[in-house]
Amino acid sequence: MQAVIGNWKQNPATSTDVTALLDALLDNIACDDALNPEHSNCQIMVAPSCIHLYQAADKLKNSPILCAAQDISAHSSTTGAFTGDCSATQIKDSGASFCILGHSERRQYHQESNAMLLNKMQHAMNKDLGVILCIGEKEDEHKDGQTLNILDDQLSVVQDFIQNNPEMTEALTKKLIIAYEPVWAIGTGKVPTVDEVTQIHAHIKQTLSGVDNRLADLSVLYGGSVNADNASEFAKSEMIDGALVGGASLKADSFLAIVRAFSRS
Ligand code: PGA
């Protein structure tokens, strides 16, 4: 499956702006056959901030666009005294069908470890929430030639999940998307070459099928400074199954240009 996912991060500032952005997306999709889900093989998804999730999911109900959360609480098993957290149950109840886990900004600002991400993945899967697991190396790791080692370490969460929950492997094959996002490419305008991403995605796919061959067909998206101008280059690679888009997802025109690039490939 191809997928293009807009990670809105802490944007937009107001619910009025959320409505305007969603209206623009829906209006454009309604009058563009290439984006019509009956003709396109590209799943479109947006991940608003938690405060706008219910509003967005409600507006996108019965539309071809799915809604994702940007995170879920590590304390998702019960309701209770976890100030500031939103549980997997609450996220699911808001209308989201996926959650992003392990984005580099959460690893950096919230010290998210593999152990914490494994825990969150278990909560998500228990509530039938799909997971977009972000992995990626930092700039110094990239320069030191450590990229594949870092990715293998971050992918060990998937292996641990399967070891702990073998009965959920089948469900995971339908509910897990991997997003490779080199940290040094996020929001910087710097991008790896398509060949580099292709090789890295091949490694990710090989690693996952080594964990369990049922994971061989998972979608692996690229993220980091994807925009309307470079998307079609990335989309040419058979190894790149779509994009996780930050900045360029905040305008309907640029986001849908990226969707079109991956719908054609
Ligand atoms: P960017 O962000 O497209 O603004 O680089 C991507 C992301 O952080 O998911």
Side-chain angles (χ1 to χ4, degrees), residues 47-69:
S49 70
C50 207
I51 191 74
H52 296 137
L53 202 53
Y54 178 81
Q55 175 196 350
D58 195 48
K59 198 162 176 67
L60 295 175
K61 218 185 279 168
N62 306 321
S63 88
I65 305 180
L66 293 180
C67 217

Side-chain angles (χ1 to χ4, degrees), residues 89-179:
T89 306
Q90 292 171 324
I91 295 290
K92 180 83 183 177
D93 184 60
S94 74
S97 47
F98 274 81
C99 59
I100 297 174
L101 292 184
H103 189 280
S104 64
E105 286 147 20
R106 298 222 43 101
R107 293 180 194 258
Q108 179 183 355
Y109 301 126
H110 301 272
Q111 287 74 46
E112 292 200 344
S113 62
N114 281 349
M116 191 187 285
L117 292 170
L118 175 61
N119 175 22
K120 289 187 177 194
M121 193 184 272
Q122 274 162 340
H123 287 307
M125 291 299 293
N126 285 340
K127 295 297 165 206
D128 198 29
L129 270 177
V131 170
I132 301 143
L133 178 67
C134 299
I135 58 174
E137 82 286 359
K138 300 193 192 100
E139 185 149 39
D140 53 335
E141 295 162 340
H142 175 70
K143 285 191 177 137
D144 287 351
Q146 289 303 312
T147 299
L148 299 186
N149 294 338
I150 297 294
L151 299 182
D152 288 351
D153 177 62
Q154 293 171 337
L155 284 172
S156 68
V157 170
V158 179
Q159 176 158 24
D160 291 345
F161 179 87
I162 288 179
Q163 251 159 29
N164 295 355
N165 313 272
E167 75 292 351
M168 285 183 121
T169 310
E170 198 62 41
L172 197 69
T173 62
K174 299 186 182 69
K175 288 271 173 187
L176 179 62
I177 295 173
I178 304 290

Side-chain angles (χ1 to χ4, degrees), residues 7 9 103 105 181 185-188 223-226 244-248:
N7 175 13
K9 308 191 181 186
H103 189 280
E105 286 147 20
E181 299 203 301
I186 294 177
T188 59
S225 296
V226 178
L244 181 56
V245 187

